[in-house]
Amino acid sequence: MKFATGAFYGVALGLLAAGLRELLTGFEENRCSMTYMFEYPEYRRVALPRRVARLYPAYGLYLYGEGLYAQETRALKLTGAPVLFLPGNAGSYKQARSLGSVALRKAEDMETGVHLNVFTVDFNEELVALYGGSLRRQTHFLHESIKAILRLYKNFEDPPRSVVLVGHSMGGVVARALFTLPRFSPHLVSLIITQASPHLAPVLALDTYLLDFYAAVRQRWVNQADDLRNVTVISVGGGFRDYQVRSGLTSLPCPPGDLSKLSLVATAVPRTWVSTDHLSIVWCKELVLATVRAFFDLIEPEARQFSENPERRMAVLNHHFIRHPVRMLDETQETPISLSDSPEAWSEVNTLRLVYSTPKDGQAKYFLFALSSRRKAYSHFYCRSNNLEMTSWVYGCTQRNGSLCVRSVDLSMGTELLPPYKVQILSLSDLTSVSHLVVGASNLNGKQFTVECEWQRQESQTISVPVPHVLSFGLTASDVTVSSSGLLHTIVLQHFHQVYQAFRINVVSHCKVQKDRLSSVYRMKVPWFREDSLTTVSTPSVTEISGMLHTSRPDNSSGVLLQLHTAPNCQYKVSVRASFPRVLGQMLRFCGPMVPVYTAVTLLLACGGQLSSILRTGRAVDMSQVVARGLQPHKVDLPVYILHLLLGCSWFQEAWSILRLPSMDALPATFPDRTFQEAVAPVEEWPRLLSPLLYVLGAAVAFWCSTLLRLVLHLISLILAPLHRPSVSRDCGTLHLRTQLLIILSLTIMGGASCGALSIFAAFLLHLYRVLRLQMTERSLSHMLNLAPQKHKETENGTVDSEALSKTKECNGAPLLSECALQEVRDDLQLHLCLSALFTLPIMLSAPSLIHWIRNLRYSTQLDPDPCWPHTVPLLLEYMLLINCNTLKLSRSTLLPLTSHLPLLLTIAMVTFSPLHLYRVTYFLSAALVPLAFSCLL
């Protein structure tokens, strides 16, 4: 039986390890380039008003500088455009050096006098992602910092009226929270760029202050969205390398018509195309360059400050973060263009495909494609060039003179930049006023490049392939072969639109003739969110693409597109297989907060099972056995699912509201912009269907962590044994009632004056001491009696036989040195081991508050606000009263029948109300321990 239990939980632990491995390592290598400082960075502290400095002693405002620029700005006489960097969770203000250094080098290269003044805020590296008590304080300090920055420009001829904010992680959430302040003027901030910021929901909701803060921000930006349309916000997610904040959470809730809000993933940013982890998104050179280029393009040359025009801001941001065409929207040439009038420069192309490589000697070259003969047979014109200079190169001819085009319009605005080349795809139905297409391939500077163009029939080059079922475990594959009949092929991956799906997509290319070719580009295009990923390979090659999503499609109307920019005269074979380890990784990425909830459920049911055993037999069961029996999905998940179904009925909803019960918790929806999809946020069914598997993983964590706790306590007892006198009494480590009350009062005062988590931790240590003394007593009795550890015979259902039961009943009058005395100590030890495992959960959930208090001791000895204070006194009472608890007292208690059945009801409530509110786990555990503590007294 023990072997089967160990094997089962070993397999469950293996599944958890496989999922964690995919989550933490199952992504591409870090391809970000590091940003370097060429001179020593300096951070000049900006003086704040005394009132502000007194209210926020732990915070500070700094100006970044290097070398000569740092010396010139020593007196804080500034003439640049202000940018303020906001660090995130446990982030340092010095993380602004990448943005500041690149901006300084850019200003030096431009030599126009236009430059940025990069400021940074010191938030004392607070853990605001886990402790929400500081978020409101950070928001108020940010407001004061913005006002202080603008005051530095008061002697400037045309002073800036706003500050651009760049927020990393929780810094981006704090930036949006500015607009919730009653005295904040919205015109002070017109542009916010956030990096890996969880806008939809917190990663882990460990206290009420964090959720209240998110609710206030969401209410301001959702309910009053029309008032904030002039505020431009762009949110950039890190991609799959960022396992701390999944990119789906970085989506901005905004109405469909609000074009001033952009959400995207770093893999889709032109000239970046890389996934970043949670920290490297700050210093990733490719992304920092895109941000700095956008900033300088946003500066008006005359005023040398950021543009106040929202349309201008969006045009620039779309240019650098979305598509990167040849020029920005406001630079479009409306007048007809005159091209070269030299007949030698013109060639008319009558074939279906053009492949042209420029010679070493520079020359003007234009290719003319007639549209009249192609309109009926083809739908699109495709052209690409590895000349990455973003200049006009595709035109529509409106007037000809013989073989020359004398009048044309620029069609290059639709150009899209890919890593190895730029691509232009034109729909022939949009070119009714154009007679010919002109492709420029001039290389007057002698630069060599290749141009490839062809006519396309999009329907014939689009293939639909159904993806394998997510539970096919890679045993089946969907294969498709693409011939060399085109330069662009699109494979529609049917039914691929949910985040729990994960595939291995293998692309094998081979060519009949070996020669130099342009690289192939495989692009996973997600129609409903900007999370495209690109893979550049040579030909021939064997490539594996990871097929996973950051967001789901709400209506399941279409799937992911796999675009293959292929080489001519080559064949491509695409194979799609489900990957079970990646499915596990996606499950942990999106449903990870459910695992600690089910761990608490398992430990609480184990405690209930221990109490039931004491009620029936007067004996405690071995800790590993009772924890193993804590896996009871039929008793927990089934009632929760029935509740979910009943809530679909109007009468049950009315009864639910009459009882004033909170709504059932559901994990954050995986749909982008979910707030505006429907009047009520949709609830996804797949996390509920996965709950049994999540329960198994949570039970595995409880089983092996309780085993580890038991081992650690055993080792500590061996170390402490020489320091204690041997004891043979089951009452070792207990406290008198007066001492208990005195300790409870002292710890309560200490918790109120300092930190509630500190008091809870001190009470936990006192209970651990009781467990250690029981272990030392059990070992001493075994040695004194020279008895080997014995196991009572148990029936198949785990109950003790009648002989063992009668022997237990006779132990009350036995002498201290007897087998019965040893058994009593062992029973108490198993009971307290279960309680210790249960007591560990509130300690872990309150750890962020304790860490925050320790790190801020030099500024304040009291944690304000303290999220642990509401349950500090109940936990102190329970921890201290249960120190004296033993199986004899419990078996005689009149409250034990009620206490043993309460954990099951509380676990159902825990699964119903805790996935989005992890701090509620502590309240449910406390509710289960209150009657247990009274059972020891009554």
Side-chain angles (χ1 to χ4, degrees):
M1 185 67 180
K2 281 191 173 182
F3 174 78
T5 301
F8 174 80
Y9 283 105
V11 172
L13 184 65
L15 291 177
L16 180 62
L20 287 175
R21 181 180 179 276
E22 285 298 323
L23 176 66
L24 302 178
T25 64
F27 40 70
E28 64 182 35
E29 62 180 7
N30 193 347
R31 295 188 287 117
C32 279
S33 303
M34 177 64 78
T35 50
Y36 295 98
M37 280 59 67
F38 294 91
E39 296 174 282
Y40 188 78
E42 297 184 28
Y43 301 88
R44 182 73 53 196
R45 192 174 184 106
V46 178
L48 298 172
R50 290 184 180 180
R51 178 187 61 85
V52 177
R54 185 175 63 255
L55 287 174
Y56 312 101
Y59 300 160
L61 177 64
Y62 295 85
L63 173 67
Y64 178 85
E66 293 179 23
L68 181 60
Y69 170 75
Q71 296 178 9
E72 293 174 348
T73 57
R74 186 161 296 175
L76 295 178
K77 295 182 179 179
L78 309 176
T79 58
V83 176
L84 179 56
F85 174 80
L86 310 177
N89 178 57
S92 170
Y93 67 96
K94 295 184 179 180
Q95 289 176 313
R97 59 182 176 266
S98 296
L99 179 65
S101 182
V102 172
L104 184 59
R105 301 283 89 77
K106 175 76 171 176
E108 292 175 350
D109 293 341
M110 292 180 63
E111 297 181 353
T112 59
V114 175
H115 64 282
L116 304 179
N117 296 135
V118 178
F119 296 85
T120 179
V121 172
D122 179 13
F123 283 141
N124 196 32
E125 301 183 11
E126 293 176 334
L127 298 172
V128 287
L130 305 177
Y131 169 72
S134 291
L135 286 170
R136 182 60 59 181
R137 189 182 303 118
Q138 288 189 2
T139 306
H140 282 283
F141 180 77
L142 174 59
H143 185 199
E144 298 294 341
S145 298
I146 292 173
K147 292 190 291 185
I149 289 172
L150 295 178
R151 280 195 296 266
L152 296 176
Y153 297 86
K154 61 183 179 181
N155 297 325
F156 198 56
E157 293 182 1
D158 190 5
R161 292 185 292 273
S162 64
V163 177
V164 170
L165 302 182
V166 179
H168 171 241
S169 186
M170 291 300 293
V173 182
V174 171
R176 293 175 65 237
L178 267 176
F179 296 85
T180 65
L181 300 180
R183 297 185 178 181
F184 177 74
S185 179
H187 75 269
L188 295 180
V189 174
S190 57
L191 172 61
I192 302 174
I193 295 181
T194 67
Q195 302 169 335
S197 298
H199 294 295
L200 282 183
V203 178
L204 291 175
L206 296 182
D207 61 58
T208 56
Y209 302 107
L210 191 61
L211 287 175
D212 292 343
F213 183 83
Y214 265 85
V217 175
R218 185 182 302 111
Q219 183 179 11
R220 179 71 172 95
W221 285 84
V222 170
N223 296 347
Q224 304 176 29
D226 292 337
D227 299 337
L228 300 175
R229 287 184 179 270
N230 288 333
V231 181
T232 304
V233 185
I234 179 169
S235 175
V236 183
F240 287 110
R241 284 193 60 86
D242 189 352
Y243 52 82
Q244 297 183 41
V245 177
R246 61 178 178 87
S247 295
L249 290 179
T250 65
S251 174
L252 291 166
C254 59
D258 191 354
L259 302 179
S260 62
K261 312 297 185 293
L262 295 176
S263 303
L264 66 157
V265 182
T267 54
V269 178
R271 295 192 178 184
T272 302
W273 298 305
V274 296
S275 178
T276 66
D277 58 54
H278 196 62
L279 292 179
S280 67
I281 196 171
V282 175
W283 54 258
C284 181
K285 184 177 180 180
E286 289 78 5
L287 191 57
V288 173
L289 282 173
T291 305
V292 171
R293 290 176 185 136
F295 282 162
F296 277 88
D297 285 343
L298 282 170
I299 295 177
E300 300 289 353
E302 298 80 11
R304 296 188 178 182
Q305 294 299 324
F306 289 108
S307 173
E308 297 293 333
N309 187 348
E311 289 76 14
R312 167 74 179 172
R313 287 198 300 266
M314 288 310 302
V316 172
L317 294 176
N318 274 287
H319 177 83
H320 289 283
F321 286 93
I322 303 300
R323 193 171 180 85
H324 207 294
V326 295
R327 62 172 66 89
M328 281 176 280
L329 187 62
D330 57 348
E331 297 177 355
T332 305
Q333 297 181 6
E334 301 292 344
T335 58
I337 303 171
S338 298
L339 302 176
S340 174
D341 55 358
S342 173
E344 294 80 10
W346 290 85
S347 298
E348 187 164 358
V349 181
N350 295 317
T351 58
L352 298 180
R353 180 181 300 158
L354 166 70
V355 179
Y356 173 76
S357 297
T358 59
K360 294 182 179 180
D361 299 330
Q363 65 176 16
K365 192 66 177 178
Y366 295 93
F367 293 96
L368 204 61
F369 297 81
L371 282 170
S372 57
S373 59
R374 307 293 184 184
R375 291 186 186 275
K376 292 183 179 180
Y378 299 96
S379 61
H380 289 78
F381 180 76
Y382 174 93
C383 202
R384 66 190 182 195
S385 170
N386 60 351
N387 177 20
L388 297 183
E389 294 180 2
M390 298 307 286
T391 55
S392 299
W393 65 300
V394 178
Y395 310 90
C397 185
T398 57
Q399 182 180 349
R400 290 186 62 197
N401 183 10
S403 61
L404 307 181
C405 179
V406 295
R407 289 282 185 180
S408 62
V409 293
D410 190 359
L411 302 177
S412 306
M413 277 301 298
T415 301
E416 188 171 16
L417 191 63
L418 300 180
Y421 36 70
K422 56 187 178 183
V423 173
Q424 174 81 327
I425 303 176
L426 297 172
S427 175
L428 302 190
S429 60
D430 298 334
L431 303 175
T432 55
S433 61
V434 175
S435 62
H436 291 72
L437 292 176
V438 180
V439 177
S442 302
N443 65 331
L444 300 179
N445 56 2
K447 180 180 179 180
Q448 290 186 286
F449 56 88
T450 301
V451 176
E452 296 179 346
C453 303
E454 71 172 6
W455 301 98
Q456 291 186 345
R457 189 184 302 109
Q458 200 171 65
E459 294 79 8
S460 63
Q461 293 176 274
T462 301
I463 306 172
S464 295
V465 178
V467 296
H469 194 273
V470 69
L471 294 180
S472 62
F473 301 100
L475 300 178
T476 60
S478 298
D479 299 328
V480 62
T481 300
V482 176
S483 64
S484 59
S485 60
L487 300 178
L488 173 66
H489 298 269
T490 301
I491 300 176
V492 181
L493 302 177
Q494 293 179 336
H495 315 303
F496 182 20
H497 41 63
Q498 295 295 327
V499 294
Y500 58 81
Q501 298 173 293
F503 303 98
R504 289 185 293 108
I505 304 175
N506 291 287
V507 183
V508 180
S509 62
H510 59 88
C511 308
K512 296 180 180 179
V513 180
Q514 299 297 326
K515 64 177 183 178
D516 292 336
R517 293 179 172 86
L518 293 180
S519 300
S520 297
V521 176
Y522 309 146
R523 178 178 186 173
M524 280 239 331
K525 187 175 181 62
V526 180
W528 58 88
F529 192 61
R530 299 183 184 92
E531 55 177 287
D532 299 2
S533 60
L534 293 90
T535 304
T536 304
V537 297
S538 58
T539 307
S541 64
V542 178
T543 308
E544 180 176 306
I545 303 173
S546 179
M548 297 187 296
L549 296 175
H550 297 290
T551 57
S552 298
R553 187 172 185 95
D555 52 7
N556 301 340
S557 59
S558 64
V560 175
L561 306 179
L562 178 60
Q563 293 182 340
L564 306 179
H565 295 264
T566 58
N569 303 318
C570 295
Q571 192 177 63
Y572 294 77
K573 183 177 181 181
V574 181
S575 177
V576 183
R577 292 180 182 271
S579 174
F580 186 66
R582 291 178 182 174
V583 170
L584 291 175
Q586 286 289 87
M587 184 182 67
L588 291 179
R589 188 187 309 275
F590 290 88
C591 303
M594 286 293 295
V595 175
V597 173
Y598 280 117
T599 300
V601 166
T602 304
L603 292 177
L604 188 54
L605 287 178
C607 184
Q610 196 71 277
L611 297 178
S612 298
S613 175
I614 295 173
L615 177 64
R616 293 194 313 269
T617 67
R619 289 276 315 283
V621 186
D622 184 80
M623 180 187 179
S624 59
Q625 295 181 24
V626 75
V627 174
R629 296 170 189 166
L631 179 61
Q632 302 177 27
H634 61 289
K635 293 184 179 181
V636 178
D637 282 333
L638 184 59
V640 173
Y641 191 69
I642 292 175
L643 275 177
H644 172 65
L645 295 178
L646 289 175
L647 280 173
C649 304
S650 58
W651 63 268
F652 194 81
Q653 288 182 358
E654 293 177 1
W656 191 276
S657 60
I658 291 174
L659 295 174
R660 295 187 178 182
L661 293 174
S663 58
M664 290 186 67
D665 267 9
L667 294 174
T670 59
F671 311 137
D673 300 342
R674 66 181 179 90
T675 307
F676 293 91
Q677 296 296 330
E678 298 178 7
V680 179
V683 177
E684 297 173 280
E685 295 294 334
W686 66 269
R688 301 191 187 279
L689 299 178
L690 285 177
S691 57
L693 180 56
L694 294 170
Y695 195 171
V696 171
L697 299 182
V701 173
F703 180 84
W704 292 111
C705 287
S706 60
T707 303
L708 180 62
L709 175 65
R710 184 176 182 176
L711 177 61
V712 170
L713 291 177
H714 180 72
L715 295 177
I716 295 176
S717 69
L718 289 175
I719 297 173
L720 297 180
L723 304 178
H724 293 78
R725 180 180 300 176
S727 174
V728 294
S729 172
R730 71 189 305 175
D731 294 329
C732 59
T734 58
L735 301 171
H736 294 292
L737 182 60
R738 183 178 299 177
T739 305
Q740 287 179 316
L741 295 177
L742 182 60
I743 294 176
I744 291 172
L745 179 61
S746 302
L747 292 180
T748 302
I749 295 174
M750 183 179 71
S754 57
C755 174
L758 179 64
S759 299
I760 298 173
F761 184 66
F764 174 71
L765 292 180
L766 289 173
H767 183 268
L768 280 187
Y769 179 73
R770 162 75 161 145
V771 180
L772 294 173
R773 290 302 305 273
L774 282 172
Q775 286 211 331
M776 288 185 275
T777 301
E778 187 264 347
R779 192 162 47 248
S780 299
L781 275 172
S782 298
H783 291 165
M784 290 179 185
L785 296 172
N786 196 21
L787 296 174
Q790 296 182 359
K791 301 176 183 177
H792 290 280
K793 298 179 181 179
E794 297 182 356
T795 60
E796 290 298 322
N797 59 4
T799 60
V800 182
D801 60 17
S802 59
E803 181 182 354
L805 180 59
S806 61
K807 182 179 291 187
T808 301
K809 292 181 178 179
E810 296 173 359
C811 286
N812 293 338
L816 290 176
L817 294 179
S818 67
E819 183 180 354
C820 289
L822 175 60
Q823 188 59 53
E824 289 173 351
V825 173
R826 286 177 173 169
D827 288 343
D828 291 349
L829 177 59
Q830 298 305 321
L831 172 64
H832 282 278
L833 282 173
C834 282
L835 291 177
S836 296
L838 202 62
F839 291 169
T840 306
L841 294 172
I843 298 299
M844 297 179 65
L845 293 175
S846 61
S849 300
L850 181 60
I851 296 173
H852 178 86
W853 174 77
I854 293 174
R855 297 180 63 173
N856 286 271
L857 263 178
R858 59 175 176 168
Y859 303 110
S860 175
T861 58
Q862 184 180 18
L863 180 63
D864 183 30
D866 188 353
C868 297
W869 180 247
H871 54 257
T872 295
V873 176
L875 286 178
L876 289 178
L877 288 169
E878 294 155 3
Y879 282 24
M880 297 307 301
L881 292 178
L882 288 173
I883 287 179
N884 292 354
C885 182
N886 59 49
T887 55
L888 180 61
K889 291 181 180 179
L890 285 178
S891 62
R892 295 176 175 177
S893 174
T894 57
L895 292 177
L896 186 59
L898 173 64
T899 305
S900 62
H901 290 91
L902 188 59
L904 178 59
L905 298 176
L906 291 175
T907 54
I908 295 173
M910 192 183 298
V911 175
T912 304
F913 299 114
S914 295
L916 274 183
H917 304 76
L918 283 178
Y919 64 89
R920 290 178 178 171
V921 171
T922 302
Y923 291 99
F924 289 118
L925 295 180
S926 181
L929 294 174
V930 166
L932 180 58
F934 280 105
S935 297
C936 296
L937 298 176
L938 303 176

